Structures are given as structure tokens and as C-alpha cells.
Amino acid sequence: MTEVTRVPLQPIAKGSLVKLWLGVIIAILAGAGLAWAAVPAGVKVDELTAGSGPNPAATDVVLVNYVGKLQDGTVFDEGQAVPLPLDQMIPGFAEGAVKMQKGGKYEMTIPSEKGYGAEDRRNPQTGEVVIPGGSDLVFEIEMLEFMSGEDYQMRMQMMQQMMQQQQQGAEGGPPGGPPQQMPGQPPQ
């Protein structure tokens, strides 16, 4: 049988155990700090004027007035009473919009990772760079209304039908039929 050489354990110096645990805690905190720094910054929504009621869902269509700017204040887009389907918007816009309420005014800052990323965005007609790659975006938004995607589609269909009826009325009646007689007019 083989015999193992026995090595006596040396006693730990006074205070060494405390130093060891402090080192472990510092290593854990440093690792957590590095992990936190590696996560992209989130969308920031500042409330300028309070809204009321519920928040839109990620699949809703929002009706907004907005101005989109770069960090230096350059305006790249704006609109009045624009319907925006959140499930078709850049991820940061949808993430911020679900934090808003009807009637409120907000400033939303979207980091480039949740916006257009590293690619330049160009004007399709001129080819000019409108949003340089890696740009954070700032939107001033007034939340006018929101509705489900299904409600929006139904309203759009109703509007199209009304426009067709108005157009037919302006042309003298339905295609192929007799002209409409207005009330109070003698028959033709």
C-alpha cells in the first residue's frame, strides 16, 4: 500500500479571511458592472404634459403629432395626425409609445441600437443622408388617439367607402345608373 505524504495546514493569518471575502465581493461587483455596461441603453420617455387613461398596446395604431430630430436638433421628419401601426415601427418607437397616454405630450429618446442602427438612412428621391448611421433619435410626440389594428382597418374601409360614395355623387350618381334626383327638384 502506498502512503501519502501528509502536509500540515498552516493557520490563516489574522484578517486574511476578511480580505479574501472582500476580494470575492469586489470581483462580483466588477463583473456585474461590466455586464450592465454591455446592455444597450433603453428608450427614455419624458412626460412634458400628462395624458390620461390607458396606454396603447404594442399591436395598436397610434394617431400622433410628431417631430423627429437628431441629437444636434436637425429635424429629419414630422407629421400631424399621423396614424402609426406600432408593430411596423422601429423597435424603440414602439417601446416608448406603449408608455404614453392619450392627450399627453412627450419627448422620447431612442438609442441607435433600437432605432436605425449603424446604417445611414437616405432620402429615396435625392439619395441624401437624412439619418447618419449610429444616430440616437429624439421625438417630440403628442398622443392624440390610439386604437387596435382591427379597429383602424375597419375605420379605413369605412372612409374609403364614404369617399367612393361622395365621388359617385359628384359625378351624377352611381356608374351606369340614372342621375340622382335631389330633394325639392322636379323630375327630369
Side-chain angles (χ1 to χ4, degrees), residues 107-125:
E107 182 176 270
M108 178 170 39
T109 305
I110 302 172
S112 66
E113 301 85 31
K114 294 189 176 197
Y116 293 110
E119 282 190 42
D120 289 343
R121 302 303 279 188
R122 298 181 179 274
N123 180 322
Q125 281 110 11

Side-chain angles (χ1 to χ4, degrees), residues 39-40 63 92 106 110 120:
V39 174
L63 186 67
Y106 304 89
I110 302 172
D120 289 343

Side-chain angles (χ1 to χ4, degrees), residues 122-140:
R122 298 181 179 274
N123 180 322
Q125 281 110 11
T126 65
E128 169 191 13
V129 174
V130 179
I131 302 173
S135 294
D136 293 344
L137 309 175
V138 178
F139 286 91
E140 293 172 6

Side-chain angles (χ1 to χ4, degrees), residues 35-103:
W36 181 78
V39 174
V43 174
K44 181 180 169 192
V45 177
D46 293 320
E47 184 179 73
L48 306 176
T49 303
S52 62
N55 304 78
T59 57
D60 284 349
V61 176
V62 297
L63 186 67
V64 296
N65 294 334
Y66 73 94
V67 176
K69 303 177 189 178
L70 300 176
Q71 287 282 5
D72 66 4
T74 303
V75 175
F76 62 83
D77 194 14
E78 58 188 313
Q80 296 291 311
V82 179
L84 301 172
L86 293 181
D87 59 358
Q88 296 175 23
M89 302 304 296
I90 57 174
F93 192 93
E95 182 181 324
V98 298
K99 299 175 184 176
M100 299 178 185
Q101 295 174 305
K102 187 168 106 174

Side-chain angles (χ1 to χ4, degrees), residues 109-184:
T109 305
I110 302 172
S112 66
E113 301 85 31
K114 294 189 176 197
Y116 293 110
E119 282 190 42
D120 289 343
R121 302 303 279 188
R122 298 181 179 274
N123 180 322
Q125 281 110 11
T126 65
E128 169 191 13
V129 174
V130 179
I131 302 173
S135 294
D136 293 344
L137 309 175
V138 178
F139 286 91
E140 293 172 6
I141 300 169
E142 180 181 5
M143 178 70 70
L144 302 173
E145 181 67 70
F146 62 89
M147 65 197 79
S148 71
E150 295 82 23
D151 284 348
Y152 175 73
Q153 290 300 326
M154 187 176 67
R155 288 184 186 192
M156 291 304 295
Q157 288 173 352
M158 287 175 34
M159 285 180 58
Q160 287 174 344
Q161 289 173 354
M162 286 174 44
M163 289 174 65
Q164 287 174 349
Q165 289 172 356
Q166 286 177 347
Q167 189 176 21
Q168 289 172 354
E171 294 172 355
Q180 296 283 337
Q181 180 180 343
M182 298 298 288

